Amino acid sequence: MRLGRTHDSAPPTVRNAPRNRGRGWAAASLAVAVAALTALAPTASASSGFTVFTNERGADTPGLQQYGAVKATVVYDYYALTCDADGCYSNGGALPSEAAYESKVKEYMGASQFGGGATAPVVLDFENIVLTAESGQAATNALNLWKQLITWTHRAAPSAPVGMYGYDSSTTNNSLTQQLHQNGLLDFFAPRAYRGSSQTDAAWTSTLDAAVTNDHSLAPGQPIYPYISPSWDGSPGGAYMSGTTWGYTIDQLKAKTDGAVVWEPSANDASACNWVAQNAYEMGALTGTPSSGPLTATATPPSGNCTVPRGSTTTVPVTVTNTSGSTTAATQMQSFTGGSGFSGSWQYWNVPSLAPGASFRTSLPLAVASSQSTSTALLHIRTGLSDTRWAVVVK
């Protein structure tokens, strides 16, 4: 799922593998605070027809499902599959049995791994046998192995669509790849679409366009869910791209594909603030739940960025401004309920009538439980007239 080839090869232990755009309030929302985590986030396809899936596992993940993303499953190359002109192998020896393979697929779908639902996509990440990298009889052998593995995957996950992670801008062995998208085998495409740190927008877009064109030529009716990452080069925990770049990436994918899979994202510190804030904006637009109303709330925690510590209380100054062209009626700050480890009570509740451009100031002692399990949280500042989204990074 990254540059090069990634797989989980050690049998009992499966390791973790595989931006500010000029949008008015989005930059400001990087420093806003608030109301309560929604108990159940709408899915990213609720209003747009574009679905964002997330592959997350392990401790302190960003929890993108709270923004509206859908958990999906990736099956890594646990068996270290390879093919040559004589056949195909697992760790250089015999291939796994159907029962062993299906058990491994179910493990990746389970709560201890990715927790993808029964109907969520299952992506097979077997990069050592991708058809675009094979030739001659080795390619034919790999094709037959793929057919077997895809059939077994459908048996293990009968309600889930199945796709193959690949390098779809390459047309090598296109006729073989096309066979995998026929006769009830693969249901969607999952091309690599990570952004290189030295790659221009134009260069990345060109590769994406080539992949989309190729996929449509092979199976015109099948969805395309490219793999993306908030980290440059698809490197988990690496340097984060800007909100501008993340926004451009989402815009291009919305225009050209049916969704995206965010691969093993992280948000470790303040350097993630820009993409986390932009992602909150994008997901608000995709789910039909953007910031709304004439009053816009902004705030800057004492950290000076979007980070708040777990296991303590941080007093967050909040400014509510009338950004409309009309005077607003008096209203109140809405109760902050302690959803998902967050609690607090407003210093001042009553918001007076505000002329255009006028502001009201209050503060929120924001308590974050030490048990808070995700590394980001989508919060809201709500009044009787408005709702401002805010995403924090929890450290």
Side-chain angles (χ1 to χ4, degrees):
M1 294 292 180
R2 66 182 178 190
L3 278 175
R5 296 170 184 250
T6 298
H7 59 264
D8 287 350
S9 57
T13 304
V14 184
R15 62 177 168 80
N16 284 332
R19 282 183 206 279
N20 271 336
R21 178 157 52 167
R23 302 206 189 230
W25 74 269
S29 73
L30 177 59
V32 205
V34 219
L37 277 168
T38 51
L40 182 63
T43 63
S45 58
S47 66
S48 67
F50 179 92
T51 304
V52 175
F53 298 100
T54 182
N55 288 162
E56 298 178 46
R57 60 177 178 171
D60 298 329
T61 62
L64 298 188
Q65 64 272 21
Q66 66 188 293
Y67 301 83
V70 177
K71 282 188 174 183
T73 297
V74 57
V75 178
Y76 289 136
D77 193 4
Y78 177 87
Y79 293 105
L81 301 167
T82 57
C83 294
D84 60 24
D86 296 321
C88 295
Y89 319 93
S90 170
N91 286 300
L95 292 169
S97 67
E98 178 177 356
Y101 176 84
E102 290 185 19
S103 177
K104 185 56 63 176
V105 171
K106 292 176 181 177
E107 178 186 330
Y108 278 114
M109 294 175 69
S112 65
Q113 289 283 340
F114 293 102
T119 61
V122 174
V123 181
L124 306 180
D125 178 22
F126 306 151
E127 295 175 58
N128 286 333
I129 58 170
V130 290
L131 297 178
T132 52
E134 304 288 358
S135 61
Q137 186 59 43
T140 300
N141 292 338
L143 171 68
N144 291 329
L145 177 58
W146 273 109
K147 288 179 177 179
Q148 181 179 68
L149 297 176
I150 294 165
T151 298
W152 288 355
T153 304
H154 279 298
R155 292 174 184 169
S159 300
V162 178
M164 175 182 68
Y165 175 79
Y167 301 82
D168 298 12
S169 58
S170 172
T171 59
T172 301
N173 290 322
N174 249 11
S175 62
L176 301 185
T177 300
Q178 187 172 42
Q179 293 183 45
L180 296 182
H181 291 268
Q182 298 171 343
N183 302 316
L185 293 173
L186 293 177
D187 302 300
F188 63 91
F189 294 91
R192 181 190 188 281
Y194 302 131
R195 294 289 304 257
S197 57
S198 60
Q199 196 173 32
T200 65
D201 284 346
W204 175 81
T205 302
S206 177
T207 301
L208 173 67
D209 289 346
V212 170
T213 298
N214 192 28
D215 289 346
H216 283 317
S217 74
L218 298 178
Q222 289 192 359
I224 303 172
Y225 304 131
Y227 260 79
I228 60 175
S229 169
S231 300
W232 291 111
D233 301 306
S235 177
Y240 301 105
M241 61 179 58
S242 68
T244 302
T245 303
W246 188 251
Y248 178 85
T249 301
I250 297 298
D251 278 350
Q252 289 295 307
L253 294 175
K254 283 194 298 184
K256 299 170 181 178
T257 71
D258 306 278
V261 187
V262 184
W263 177 60
E264 299 233 27
S266 66
N268 299 324
D269 52 40
S271 67
C273 284
N274 286 334
W275 94 260
V276 168
Q278 189 67 41
N279 187 66
Y281 169 82
E282 301 293 347
M283 296 302 290
L286 287 171
T287 59
T289 59
S291 293
S292 60
L295 303 179
T296 298
T298 59
T300 302
S303 62
N305 49 57
C306 77
T307 63
V308 293
R310 56 169 55 88
S312 63
T313 298
T314 302
T315 298
V316 181
V318 176
T319 300
V320 177
T321 302
N322 178 6
T323 56
S324 75
S326 304
T327 298
T328 56
T331 186
Q332 287 188 324
M333 305 300 297
Q334 301 298 298
S335 296
F336 184 86
T337 55
S340 255
F342 291 81
S343 60
S345 182
W346 294 104
Q347 177 188 24
Y348 304 117
W349 290 79
N350 294 316
V351 183
S353 173
L354 295 175
S359 297
F360 162 79
R361 293 175 177 81
T362 184
S363 63
L364 177 71
L366 181 65
V368 184
S370 58
S371 59
Q372 173 63 23
S373 59
T374 57
S375 62
T376 81
L378 176 63
L379 306 175
H380 298 261
I381 299 175
R382 293 192 177 103
T383 71
L385 303 175
S386 59
D387 177 357
T388 299
R389 297 164 62 96
W390 182 44
V392 297
V393 170
V394 182
K395 296 183 62 180

